[in-house]
Amino acid sequence: MTSEGSPASVSNAALRFHNLRLNHEENDEGAVGGIEAENIETVNDSPQNMQPAGTIMLNMVRRALEVSDIIEEEEQTATSSRNAIPSTSNYDNRPPSNSSNVVRPEARARTSILAENGLTNYSVSSTVYNWQGSKATMRERFTFLFNNEILSDVKFRVGRGSQQRVIPAHKLVLSSGSAVFDAMFNGTLATSSNEIEVPDVEPETFLAVLLFLYTDEISINPDTVMTTLYTAKKYAVSSLEKHCVDYLRSNLTTDNAFLLLAQARLFDEPQLAAVCLDTIDKFTTDALNADGFTDIDIDTLITVLERNTLRVRESKIFQAVVRWSEAECSRQQLPVTPDNQRSVLGRAISLVRFPLMSMEEFASGPAQSGLLTDREIVQIFLYFTLNPKPRVGFEAMPRCLMMGKEQTVCRYQQTESRWGYNGTSDRIRVDRRIFLVGYGVYGSVFGPAEYEVIIELIHTASGKVIAKNNTSFSCDGSNYTYRLIFKEPVEILPNTVYTASVTFDGPDSHYGSKGQRVVTVDCGPKHGKVKFSFNYEAGDNNGTSIEGGQIPELIFYL
């Protein structure tokens, strides 16, 4: 028997049925009773249970007629259905998530009917949607199931309000890639609901995480990387977390270093935070000037201000702190006043190292800002003018550069008085690679006094001025040294000769004697020893030489 049920075969079957009925009319009663038997192959061999050949043929003809009618009717239904439904496709040949890509109901019904009638050789492949047949690998099959209703057994309502989307998923796939999903579906407190609310995640981000779980594909960009990192951490998808962190690290710049640092601290990513801090240390000025600096939270600000490795003048740090306080007042909808700025800064203001500024920098900036109390201002001015230095409420330890802490090399073994000035320079040569911060100089021998000074670092061979600062300092008449600092630290290359120059405008001062040509500074077990060689600078040097004179100290970092 064929699957089509042609009219000719049906007519022949009807004729044979008529002849058999005439020849076996006396057996009709038994034949009718035998119609109930479903399997003619397994009937009992006893005479009482055997059916005549006519009865068997009668049953087959009746079933042939029924099946022929069913097949014809369903072929018509399937054809009209295919003509009515437009075809849909997308970029990866996957059906849309809510499409009718399921086994057709008519195909299931036909298969059931044919099986009941013993016609298992009837072909239905032309009407069953066999999506598995076109997917050669597991990856292709899982890619097809991603965001697809087929075989899905859970749905997520992701997002809020009008942006909310319903996303289908498969518990097996999610549980195999996430311990959180595994506990959600299979743990002792597993949810019984097949619809789960996820209001704190955007639909696009949730789909990016699901795409990774289904296919290992990574879909992140600068706009979504932080939300993807948050979602990956929420569902403990550690591999995707790592990809997000690596992406952020590779796109780290001075413009976004502070923002990424704040996010790294929020998401507890210590490795990313360390890379951000290292970038801020090396390029502090650029990072502080970036727009994103004023958007960080107070805890991140405090973390940065506590560091000893910022490569910038303290006055620049104070200016950045003032900008941040103004932005924070605006965020809290407070008037931008000194009292409110001090309030939002909290203990962060105490982390600014005012004693590291020059007196001029402090007087022109912090002292007039209104952020400090009168007592604090007086204490800092006393710190600038008195020796030994009084204790103040602010850190006085110099911030470090690159590696290690601030170091000082002193070339004189004894202090004398007095040394006069006529406006020319005292000079000395150095030829060791260092990061020069400034010089230590002697003050007045006549008690308290003010000096106006110009400090310079000159490349000796070319005569080019590499660094210069016009500044001033106050002294109390003691033989202590006083710090004169460049605006920015200066790198001195190895095996290159430089001239250190300070031009004084003020009264006679103390000076050093018993100078050393070579001085070795022990910088600790990590950095070893640094050797400095000093040489006489010929020309107009106001008498300073290897044996005696001014500029007793060089302040540097390694």
Side-chain angles (χ1 to χ4, degrees), residues 226-301:
M226 297 310 307
T227 54
T228 303
L229 176 60
Y230 165 77
T231 309
K233 292 186 72 69
K234 175 178 180 177
Y235 293 108
V237 187
S238 56
S239 297
L240 184 56
E241 284 182 50
K242 184 178 183 302
H243 285 297
C244 290
V245 171
D246 291 343
Y247 181 89
L248 290 171
R249 185 179 298 160
S250 63
N251 289 275
L252 176 64
T253 66
T254 55
D255 290 334
N256 61 19
F258 272 105
L259 285 178
L260 292 185
L261 173 61
Q263 297 293 334
R265 295 182 69 256
L266 176 64
F267 295 142
D268 190 25
E269 290 290 344
Q271 293 182 343
L272 177 60
V275 176
C276 292
L277 287 171
D278 184 60
T279 300
I280 293 170
D281 285 343
K282 293 180 178 178
F283 308 100
T284 310
T285 301
D286 292 339
L288 290 177
N289 290 333
D291 294 336
F293 167 74
T294 57
D295 296 328
I296 64 176
D297 59 280
I298 182 63
D299 292 331
T300 302
L301 177 65

Side-chain angles (χ1 to χ4, degrees), residues 406-407 434-440 455 483-486 488-490 551 553-557:
E406 185 180 270
Q407 304 284 347
I434 56 174
F435 288 93
L436 187 67
V437 178
Y439 309 132
I455 60 174
R483 294 163 55 95
L484 302 178
I485 306 300
F486 288 108
E488 299 288 344
V490 186
I551 318 179
E553 296 175 344
L554 302 178
I555 306 167
F556 69 98
Y557 295 95

Side-chain angles (χ1 to χ4, degrees), residues 177-181 184 198 201 206 209 230-237:
S178 163
V180 174
F181 282 129
M184 182 186 298
V198 187
V201 177
F206 193 80
V209 175
Y230 165 77
T231 309
K233 292 186 72 69
K234 175 178 180 177
Y235 293 108
V237 187

